[in-house]
Amino acid sequence: MKILVTGGVGYIGSHTVVDLIENGHDIVILDNLCNSKIEVLDKIKEITGKAPAFMVGDIRNRSDVDNVFNTHHDIDAVIHFAGLKAVGESCEKPLLYYDNNIAGTVTLLKSMSAHGCKRIVFSSSATVYGDPATVPVTEDFPLSTTNPYGSTKLYIEQILKDLCASDSEWDATLLRYFNPVGAHESTLLGENPNGIPNNLMPYIMKVACGKLEKLHIFGDDYPTADGTGVRDYIHVCDLAHGHTLAISKLDGLKIYNLGTGTGYSVLDMVKAFEKANNIKLPYCIDPRRPGDVAVNFADPAKAKEELGFEATRTLEDMCRTSYEFAKKNFK
Ligand code: NAD
Ligand code: UDP
């Protein structure tokens, strides 16, 4: 298939482009590089031997999106990663998030429709489950959000549901990611956030490389085995492959959790990272972070049954590849 990947230069997008190319697909990337670096394209070529077509542009700009479809007439489907993702920033700048994520998606969908391309895989998030009443979480759990970033994911899901209901020609698969971590085995691709990271694994990576002094664990009084928050960490290469499976099974409206089904606490992560990399990670206990939930992990059974999706990489793989990437790439 010929696939347009929006946000394909970013963390999850770049790993997915590699997996798609390795599975024989032809890729066109549209990215405005607001949170990624153009050098990633060379890394993708180094890994796969093939350079994806790239157009710099913004999904909010209709002419940028039209330009992609006018240049590449035969796009079969879109995988839509482009979006802003920092929860804290979304609380400070909600209009930026609604404009970039929601208005951007609407513009993308209008252009797709005008060019007769009505097949999309969308990057949603486990954040749409809010504070789940029980775990593991299945796709039919009630949906809610606690911040503007989460609201953008929820609203875009609704837009895609409405679109599929209005026109049977649309196929939309909503992939609800749990916590993607890790890096490509080559150490050429990985997550390299600017400034102080919000998420656990990039923060651990910065501490491990001596860029930050110690990890601040947000709360040790949750109702979990060791008191720290529990999440479902999934290797980004497993997550990436989920998109390759999903794109080949687009059929009406589909929703899948992409996780491993296993929850690990923050302290479990610290211990696993120390063991995998034979290093010591200094940490301290801080108060809970506002808006955090105690436990969230997936029931991945539906993705396994319908897509054949199964995360195969271990926690050790996640910790080892993260550190290897950080050592080579954190300046
Ligand atoms: P990322 O920031 O590394 O990648 C996003 C890419 O989109 C970047 O290359 C950025 O430059 C581009 N982009 C942003 N706004 C754009 C716009 N208006 N026009 C064109 N390009 C634009 O983030 P990521 O971690 O790879 O996440 C990809 C998607 O997955 C996002 O939609 C994110 O919300 C979603 N997601 C991420 C996580 C996570 O923990 N990383 C979890 C759940 C869902
Ligand atoms: N966390 C932490 N210190 C950090 C970042 C995160 O203790 O510097 C904890 C956080 O409270 C949560 C877990 O690590 O329990 C995962 O947080 P992250 O932001 O990576 O993912 P999310 O909360 O969005 O699932």
Side-chain angles (χ1 to χ4, degrees), residues 68-246:
V68 175
F69 284 101
N70 292 334
T71 309
H72 301 275
H73 299 283
D74 45 354
I75 292 172
D76 299 297
V78 174
I79 304 183
H80 178 30
F81 294 102
L84 299 175
K85 60 168 185 176
V87 171
E89 185 186 47
S90 80
C91 298
E92 285 155 26
K93 300 176 185 167
L95 294 181
L96 174 67
Y97 274 67
Y98 290 130
D99 183 46
N100 196 84
N101 294 5
I102 300 181
T105 299
V106 171
T107 302
L108 171 70
L109 294 170
K110 282 185 350 219
S111 179
M112 288 174 66
S113 186
H115 291 90
C117 175
K118 298 186 174 181
R119 318 184 79 205
I120 185 167
V121 172
F122 171 61
S123 299
S124 190
S125 166
T127 192
V128 299
Y129 294 117
D131 191 355
T134 57
V135 282
V137 173
T138 52
E139 288 82 354
D140 54 3
F141 266 40
L143 305 180
S144 67
T145 68
T146 53
N147 57 69
Y149 165 70
S151 300
T152 68
K153 293 294 170 194
L154 204 51
Y155 297 155
I156 295 167
E157 284 204 358
Q158 189 59 47
I159 289 166
L160 291 169
K161 288 174 188 170
D162 291 342
L163 203 51
C164 289
S166 74
D167 177 354
S168 61
E169 285 181 10
W170 275 96
D171 295 320
T173 294
L174 318 181
L175 298 179
R176 294 180 180 151
Y177 312 154
F178 280 69
N179 291 61
V181 296
H184 194 265
E185 283 288 348
S186 63
T187 70
L188 293 170
L189 299 177
E191 189 170 21
N192 195 352
N194 293 324
I196 298 180
N198 299 302
N199 296 115
L200 179 65
M201 184 57 96
Y203 204 107
I204 288 179
M205 289 153 74
K206 293 239 171 181
V207 173
C209 291
K211 306 281 170 209
L212 292 169
E213 189 198 339
K214 60 183 170 186
L215 173 68
H216 295 258
I217 296 182
F218 300 140
D220 67 350
D221 56 353
Y222 284 106
T224 61
D226 63 26
T228 64
V230 168
R231 297 289 184 277
D232 186 339
Y233 298 92
I234 175 169
H235 196 290
V236 66
C237 292
D238 283 330
L239 186 72
H241 190 59
H243 295 75
T244 305
L245 296 170

Side-chain angles (χ1 to χ4, degrees), residues 41-57:
L41 295 171
D42 297 331
K43 309 283 171 72
I44 292 172
K45 183 165 180 212
E46 208 177 320
I47 295 169
T48 63
K50 221 173 152 189
F54 173 63
M55 299 184 81
V56 65

